[in-house]
Amino acid sequence: MAVVLDLLNNDTRPALPPAVRPRHPEKAKRPDSPIQRKPDWIRVKAPGSPAWAETNRIVRENGLVTVCEEAGCPNIGECWEKRHATFMIMGDTCTRACAFCNVRTGLPGALDADEPEKIADSVAKLGLHHVVVTSVDRDDLADGGAEHFARTIAAIRRLSPGTTIEILTPDFLRKDGALEVVVAARPDVFNHNLETVPGNYLTVRPGARYFHSLRLLQRVKELDPSIFTKSGIMVGLGEEKNEVVQLMDDLRSADVDFLTIGQYLQPTKKHHEVVRFVPPEEFSGFETTAYAKGFLLVSATPLTRSSHHAGEDFARLKAARLARLAPATA
């Protein structure tokens, strides 16, 4: 487990205001990796429409954190214009230091006991038919934040009973019983991203364990087969094609329903470099292969992200499951 040291609190110098504190203190001594120019096929519209502004206002008024902003998602303009947002609970500071991630790292503060109700209130105000809730890693908590996830799901169910709920969780590594608490709250979709192939874990995702993450996804299905399971990876981190295909087989062995594959984009020069920009035709090949492996749904494009088009994808997931069950019923 790679828990980030609280370097700021151990410093004897006067505390810096939050705006000028290092976002990634653990990456300060990493060598710079030049940020490559993005190819023509990775272009997005800048945010700023009236609908985007309204979503932004609701997020701000409720003091919420979104992964859309914290992770620097390139699709924020499109999603917020459609009044879609992925809420990030348990604060904006992660206890892990993944080499690809732009979320702030350090020692998090205490949980906000009112946060589940705030999230539910925003879901109701936005009129969401489908909501995605994710979180930072909270290795500092005894249950990794499992009960907070469960309370958030319950609060949304109370205020917006017609809203379907997708969660994107940490791995709850060494948190016995945590997964069971979250599954018992019965989200509609349980997402946990593998992020990359196992050979990259030591350099890209050092605080996680590949086979633990696989087992987590498999265990969800054992506890409640009705919950859709989902996982995603990034490409462009130096993986080989055969490693991606093997990862697909591993996920299918865990009975995962939905796979997302997107291009890794380097947030800063201190993050892991982009080894390669994968062309769109290779994403199409991954999609074809993944469907052949038996996934109910696959999204594989350069700009694919875990929660991009999540509502539309949930409808497609349900339809795909019904279509697969139909011959057996007949």
Side-chain angles (χ1 to χ4, degrees), residues 51-183:
W52 176 91
E54 176 64 8
T55 301
N56 184 58
R57 182 188 65 78
I58 292 171
V59 168
R60 296 287 169 269
E61 285 182 354
N62 286 272
L64 302 176
V65 179
T66 68
V67 76
C68 320
E69 297 172 289
E70 295 301 317
C73 180
N75 301 314
I76 187 171
E78 177 191 350
C79 291
W80 282 28
E81 185 172 346
K82 295 178 179 178
R83 299 173 74 88
H84 296 171
T86 299
F87 298 110
M88 191 166 78
I89 59 176
M90 297 190 277
D92 66 352
T93 303
C94 187
T95 54
R96 302 215 185 154
C98 296
F100 65 87
C101 186
N102 198 39
V103 173
R104 187 184 304 276
T105 56
L107 186 66
L111 293 179
D112 178 0
D114 296 327
E115 185 175 49
E117 295 298 331
K118 292 177 183 176
I119 296 289
D121 184 59
S122 294
V123 170
K125 286 178 178 176
L126 286 166
L128 300 183
H129 298 294
H130 186 84
V131 63
V132 182
V133 179
T134 187
S135 79
V136 290
D137 274 286
R138 291 297 303 256
D139 295 312
D140 59 310
L141 300 175
D143 70 347
E147 182 61 33
H148 204 73
F149 261 107
R151 289 185 58 227
T152 302
I153 294 168
I156 295 170
R157 294 267 189 245
R158 284 196 302 272
L159 290 186
S160 299
T163 300
T164 49
I165 302 171
E166 178 173 332
I167 57 171
L168 172 55
T169 77
D171 58 14
F172 301 118
L173 186 63
R174 303 185 183 95
K175 308 293 184 183
D176 291 345
L179 178 65
E180 287 75 6
V181 169
V182 178
V183 172

Side-chain angles (χ1 to χ4, degrees), residues 226-245:
S226 70
I227 295 176
F228 289 103
T229 50
K230 177 177 175 180
S231 190
I233 64 166
M234 302 166 288
V235 291
L237 285 160
E239 69 290 323
E240 298 291 337
K241 181 178 179 180
N242 65 318
E243 293 179 293
V244 176
V245 173

